[in-house]
Amino acid sequence: MSRTSQPDPELTHRLTRRGMLGVAAGATAAALLGAAASPAGAATDAATGTTGHGRGRPVLPPGRLGIQLYSLRDKVSTLGFAPVFAELEKYGYDEVEFAGYTQGSAGPITLAQLRRLARDHGLNPIGSHVGYYSDDPNAYTFAQNLTKVLDDAQALGLKHIGTASGPFRYGSTVDAWKRAAEEFNTYGAAAKARGMKFYQHNHSEEFSFATDNPKVRLYDVLLRETDPDLVFLEMDIFWAYSGQFRFSKRPDGTPAPFEPLNYVLRQPHRYPLFHVKDGVSDPSNTYGYRMTDVGDGDIDYQKFISAVTRLRGERLAHHWQAEHDQPTESFTFARRSSAHLHSLREKC
């Protein structure tokens, strides 16, 4: 991908995703797609220049590589799910995570058809992003239409259902996040009753500080105030490291360093899902990184994934979803990212 800086990638991501989820409101048709990258071709992919990193055990656990379908929204809307799934099946992906339920201009598809189509191409629908709340009482969000959201997730056979919205509904104070956490606990209880896990996906702002108590990191409030048996986290690793860049000092300038990986290592059971998204370090950028295809950036995924999967009993407990908010060419992103992740080997 071209390493050019986006003017405001987090804002662009939020607004674009909000528009996509808005299109999904009231629809019972289907959403963004999935991918696949052949492990055999991954180790020595002449087209991408990616090669294996030694002879150790693969860093990526078998059957756990997915893709966030938001990354491939252009292909879904123009080609439809069938040709996209058929193409991405070649890349070795195992799972797909949705981001809304509309196929755009390619025509309607029912949830039952979508579930069957994914399975026919060896893709397990693992999760979905749905809006947290809206001012529209009929909006397709957890706050406005919880039952419908869970009904659709069950129809797709999802094991996880969550939101990419930050818990900022009531503001950025400690009490505001406690109030949002109470709502998340409610959604988590409802999801658990259906055999699913409710989760929240972060951007960098979650790692900022409470406006009424700048000694308190808001992400810590979310972790503390949500029930660990009901509310889970999908760490977007790129945005977590962007948060590290942006919020390792409090507003008064005093140091407040943190390491995103340590959050996971302390409570690995709370992180069933991850977004594997890469970035080139760029201190001149507001977010500290410029987003790029997985493997082209500076985030050490060999270290990160190995640290999690080496924990006792955790190797197969997590799902790793490749993502890029604005890929230059989405199929190329999916193919190259899978090839890189499959090539990683643990250090002996």
Side-chain angles (χ1 to χ4, degrees), residues 98 101 111-112 114-115 119 125 128 151-158:
F98 296 100
Y101 303 121
L111 296 177
L114 181 58
R115 180 180 184 179
R119 295 293 173 85
S128 179
D151 285 346
D152 287 352
Q154 278 196 303
L156 280 169
L158 302 181

Side-chain angles (χ1 to χ4, degrees), residues 42-55:
T44 55
D45 189 333
T48 66
T50 302
T51 57
H53 294 178
R55 297 183 179 181

Side-chain angles (χ1 to χ4, degrees), residues 100-176:
Y101 303 121
T102 178
Q103 198 174 353
S105 61
I109 183 171
T110 67
L111 296 177
Q113 290 171 331
L114 181 58
R115 180 180 184 179
R116 183 166 57 251
L117 183 63
R119 295 293 173 85
D120 287 347
H121 288 283
L123 301 171
N124 179 33
I126 193 65
S128 179
H129 285 184
V130 176
Y132 167 20
Y133 69 94
S134 171
D135 293 333
D136 178 1
N138 297 312
Y140 190 82
T141 65
F142 284 96
Q144 277 68 40
N145 274 293
L146 178 59
T147 299
K148 175 60 175 170
V149 167
L150 297 181
D151 285 346
D152 287 352
Q154 278 196 303
L156 280 169
L158 302 181
K159 298 297 184 184
H160 309 82
I161 181 71
T163 183
S165 303
F168 293 95
R169 181 179 187 180
Y170 305 107
S172 299
T173 65
V174 172
D175 284 343

